[in-house]
Amino acid sequence: NKSYEFNNLINVNLYLVTTYLLVLSLFIFLLNFLFPNLLNDKYHLVLFGMISIVPALSINNSLTSIIRSSGKEIKGQVLGNMIPNIIFILFIFSFEWIYKFNSHSTSIILYSASSVLALLYTLSSTNGLVSWARVNIKNIKNIIFKDIRESFPLILFESFALLNNILPLIVLGIFSEPEIVGNYKLAFQISSITGLALHASNKIVEPRIAKSFISDNFHEIQNIALRSNRFISIFAIFFSTIIFLFYKKFVILYFGSDFLIPKITFFLILLSPFFNSIFGPIGSIMNMTGNEKVACKWCGISLFVGIILNFLLIPVIGINGAAIAFFIASFIRGFALWKKSLELLNVKSSFILNSILKF
């Protein structure tokens, strides 16, 4: 059954890869025919980059998800995150050494080529996972539409989470100066280092959680969550402390004093990724155990709360309002999913909360 399921998934991706390569080839031919000076036109160059890079990386991520689900989590991570960048770096150094180029347009084309090559390499890596001899394109459209329907709650969940992240920037842009928006964006990106361990760990634990759920082993799901969250919590505590203590020196050294924000504001921004890490891989647990609609619901509720708070607080207290609104919305989502994981699955996801509350 597992081999059959993997073959179905790879059939879909093979169909998508073939369609993508045909459309991309046709697009390049038409674009080059209609606009011979492609490299000199920024609009067409950006359009080319979007059409070539985004689908390639998306399909590549889909294939690496299959590889991670087959028990090869590290290999999937390497193929999804490292290989495209390694190929791109090799291209950059090669062209710099051979042609002495210094062109932004060439970099976009090289990254497009890197994305496509990485996709083809990942696709070839699936040949050892299942037999390509059983590749079948019958009913491929029905399979794709079925996958889209089943994935819709996950797509909404990710969309709500993304909107919640960029909402403060949008509302700040309406009521504040561009410099303030830029300073908030920089502080947000620096603070996101605290959540790196959580994001990296989720990619590894998700297929393991799904496998344990299929075998109804909820105790193992809890063990996976607590083991991973122990490292995530230590990482978050250590790096959030370091980042907070050295924030001012780091920003002045690399960006200049104009990009500094008050320490209390940065502290508020830092709270969101910190508490997300403390709650553990709750999104992964809910989404990998058939509770996508519950996760989507609470992500939508937190987004709605965030919208209201951003429009109420930012006009009054500016960048502090953006930080407070984002923290409250993120905390509501994290706490609700942590509690739902406990109520619906009897799974404890937070190492620190489990130690403090002594369930």
Side-chain angles (χ1 to χ4, degrees):
N1 289 335
K2 184 183 293 185
S3 178
Y4 174 78
E5 184 66 23
F6 284 154
N7 269 283
N8 275 341
L9 292 170
I10 291 178
N11 287 349
V12 172
N13 281 276
L14 278 171
Y15 180 83
L16 291 175
V17 170
T18 304
T19 304
Y20 162 71
L21 292 176
L22 289 174
V23 171
L24 180 61
S25 301
L26 181 62
F27 174 79
I28 293 173
F29 173 77
L30 289 175
L31 199 62
N32 189 55
F33 178 75
L34 296 174
F35 307 100
N37 297 321
L38 171 64
L39 298 182
N40 297 325
D41 191 308
K42 292 183 179 179
Y43 172 77
H44 294 128
L45 190 62
V46 170
L47 182 63
F48 167 75
M50 290 175 60
I51 291 178
S52 59
I53 296 172
V54 175
L57 293 180
S58 299
I59 301 172
N60 189 52
N61 187 58
S62 176
L63 288 169
T64 56
S65 297
I66 299 171
I67 293 173
R68 291 199 308 271
S69 300
S70 69
K72 300 177 180 179
E73 294 92 347
I74 303 300
K75 181 179 180 180
Q77 286 276 63
V78 171
L79 290 171
N81 298 320
M82 290 183 62
I83 296 299
N85 294 315
I86 290 174
I87 296 174
F88 176 61
I89 291 171
L90 290 174
F91 274 165
I92 287 289
F93 279 112
S94 299
F95 272 70
E96 173 68 25
W97 180 56
I98 298 172
Y99 298 107
K100 309 295 180 183
F101 82 97
N102 186 18
S103 168
H104 178 67
S105 59
T106 309
S107 297
I108 293 179
I109 292 176
L110 289 180
Y111 193 64
S112 300
S114 304
S115 302
V116 174
L117 287 176
L119 169 61
L120 295 176
Y121 181 71
T122 302
L123 183 63
S124 68
S125 300
T126 63
N127 191 29
L129 177 63
V130 293
S131 173
W132 280 17
R134 288 181 288 178
V135 168
N136 186 2
I137 62 171
K138 291 182 179 179
N139 299 320
I140 197 73
K141 291 182 179 179
N142 293 332
I143 294 173
I144 291 175
F145 285 125
K146 179 186 174 186
D147 288 344
I148 291 174
R149 286 195 302 270
E150 293 177 350
S151 302
F152 189 68
L154 291 173
I155 295 170
L156 274 183
F157 177 84
E158 294 294 340
S159 300
F160 288 156
L162 177 61
L163 285 172
N164 193 47
N165 288 342
I166 66 175
L167 184 63
L169 287 171
I170 296 172
V171 183
L172 266 178
I174 296 173
F175 295 103
S176 305
E177 298 295 324
E179 293 79 8
I180 296 177
V181 179
N183 291 350
Y184 176 89
K185 176 64 174 175
L186 176 62
F188 181 83
Q189 289 177 321
I190 294 174
S191 69
S192 64
I193 296 173
T194 303
L196 283 178
L198 176 64
H199 293 299
S201 175
N202 282 346
K203 296 288 186 180
I204 296 175
V205 302
E206 282 174 354
R208 297 179 182 179
I209 291 172
K211 289 177 186 176
S212 299
F213 175 68
I214 292 172
S215 58
D216 290 326
N217 192 347
F218 291 95
H219 180 69
E220 180 60 22
I221 294 176
Q222 180 171 289
N223 287 338
I224 292 169
L226 292 179
R227 282 198 304 267
S228 64
N229 190 242
R230 181 184 303 171
F231 167 73
I232 292 168
S233 299
I234 294 172
F235 182 95
I237 293 170
F238 176 77
F239 276 94
S240 60
T241 303
I242 296 298
I243 291 169
F244 181 73
L245 292 176
F246 294 98
Y247 163 74
K248 183 176 180 180
K249 291 182 179 180
F250 177 81
V251 171
I252 292 176
L253 178 63
Y254 290 101
F255 301 97
S257 58
D258 291 339
F259 287 89
L260 278 175
I261 62 174
K263 264 205 166 184
I264 183 63
T265 306
F266 183 68
F267 176 75
L268 291 171
I269 295 173
L270 194 60
L271 284 176
S272 297
F274 175 78
F275 274 98
N276 285 339
S277 298
I278 296 302
F279 282 126
I282 42 176
S284 298
I285 292 173
M286 299 302 289
N287 287 328
M288 295 296 108
T289 56
N291 292 288
E292 304 93 340
K293 292 182 180 179
V294 176
C296 182
K297 170 188 169 183
W298 280 104
C299 205
I301 291 173
S302 70
L303 174 63
F304 179 73
V305 172
I307 292 172
I308 294 174
L309 291 177
N310 273 286
F311 279 101
L312 286 177
L313 297 178
I314 289 177
V316 180
I317 53 178
I319 192 172
N320 286 333
I324 293 171
F326 180 65
F327 168 66
I328 293 175
S330 299
F331 186 86
I332 288 173
R333 181 184 68 230
F335 179 79
L337 293 183
W338 170 75
K339 189 175 180 182
K340 286 296 179 181
S341 172
L342 197 58
E343 291 177 351
L344 299 176
L345 306 170
N346 196 29
V347 170
K348 304 158 193 167
S349 62
S350 172
F351 173 76
I352 289 180
L353 292 179
N354 189 45
S355 302
I356 294 174
L357 300 178
K358 301 293 183 183
F359 288 105

